[in-house]
Amino acid sequence: MTVTDEALPRSPAAGPAGDPVGDPVGAEVVAALVRDLDVGFAALYEAYRGAVFSTALRLCGRWAEAEDLSAEAFLRAYRALAGYAPGRVAALRPRPWLLTILANVWRNSLRSAARRPAAAPLEDAPDPPDPGEGVEDVAARRETGRELAALLAALPEMQRAAVVLRHVTDLPVAEIAAVLDLPEGTVKSHISRGLARLRELRAAGRDPGQKGGVR
């Protein structure tokens, strides 16, 4: 999949020395990037690959597609960083910056998918496995993942993104507003309406295979 250059996000404003509020790892990652791009990018990837993949998985509902979205997001991030001046790198807030790239890649994938034949039904979308889990816990989590993926897929695009970023990735509203390039009030509205719609769908016992009737 490809994303136009115009879709590449501007880096959100940062605090002193690029230290993002609510992201204590960010300052260390930024400092590493300023010192050496390749070493710093390895630190960036290790710090945020989980958040990027989990967000991608809940946005698209398919494991393989989430891997593709994540890989494309990190590839675009590296290419962007290679062209940034040191001052711009130092001003990065890595987490919202990466998730903005991911959101743009995901939107672009939706536009591409709309021009292709209908995709197969949603696959299970469990969280990454925990080696210490018992069989019963794994089964319950997989069922929850399948249900959540189906319900999220029924939401309009912006509601889905806002709900995932707030309640899966655990971003504050201000960062979600930066990622989605929306006013904070609009983000709050999308989250509220998305959660209300999810509750309606779950209460109605909605068939995960159906995708119609979304308001």
Side-chain angles (χ1 to χ4, degrees), residues 103-124:
N104 287 330
V105 172
W106 171 63
R107 289 173 187 164
N108 196 64
S109 75
L110 292 181
R111 289 192 289 270
S112 297
R115 297 191 291 269
R116 298 195 300 265
L122 286 175
E123 302 166 2
D124 293 354

Side-chain angles (χ1 to χ4, degrees), residues 104-163:
N104 287 330
V105 172
W106 171 63
R107 289 173 187 164
N108 196 64
S109 75
L110 292 181
R111 289 192 289 270
S112 297
R115 297 191 291 269
R116 298 195 300 265
L122 286 175
E123 302 166 2
D124 293 354
D127 295 323
D130 179 351
E133 278 187 314
V135 175
E136 296 84 354
D137 292 334
V138 172
R141 180 169 53 78
R142 287 179 66 85
E143 184 60 36
T144 300
R146 182 187 303 112
E147 179 187 16
L148 179 59
L151 294 177
L152 287 170
L155 295 181
E157 176 183 328
M158 295 307 293
Q159 287 183 16
R160 190 193 324 177
V163 169

Side-chain angles (χ1 to χ4, degrees), residues 46-192:
E46 287 300 319
Y48 299 106
R49 62 178 179 171
V52 169
F53 179 78
S54 295
T55 302
L57 183 60
R58 292 311 180 194
L59 287 173
C60 71
R62 296 179 176 85
W63 192 281
E65 186 178 350
E67 290 178 333
D68 289 344
L69 292 174
S70 299
E72 178 71 12
F74 277 108
L75 176 61
R76 290 192 62 80
Y78 183 85
R79 289 174 174 170
L81 288 166
Y84 283 3
R88 187 173 183 184
V89 174
L92 282 178
R93 294 176 62 194
R95 181 173 61 175
W97 180 73
L98 277 172
L99 292 176
T100 303
I101 295 174
L102 174 66
N104 287 330
V105 172
W106 171 63
R107 289 173 187 164
N108 196 64
S109 75
L110 292 181
R111 289 192 289 270
S112 297
R115 297 191 291 269
R116 298 195 300 265
L122 286 175
E123 302 166 2
D124 293 354
D127 295 323
D130 179 351
E133 278 187 314
V135 175
E136 296 84 354
D137 292 334
V138 172
R141 180 169 53 78
R142 287 179 66 85
E143 184 60 36
T144 300
R146 182 187 303 112
E147 179 187 16
L148 179 59
L151 294 177
L152 287 170
L155 295 181
E157 176 183 328
M158 295 307 293
Q159 287 183 16
R160 190 193 324 177
V163 169
V164 167
L165 291 170
R166 182 68 190 97
H167 294 284
V168 176
T169 315
D170 199 28
L171 290 188
V173 169
E175 286 193 12
I176 299 172
V179 169
L180 300 180
D181 195 22
L182 294 172
E184 290 188 26
T186 302
V187 168
K188 292 178 181 177
S189 177
H190 282 317
I191 294 170
S192 177

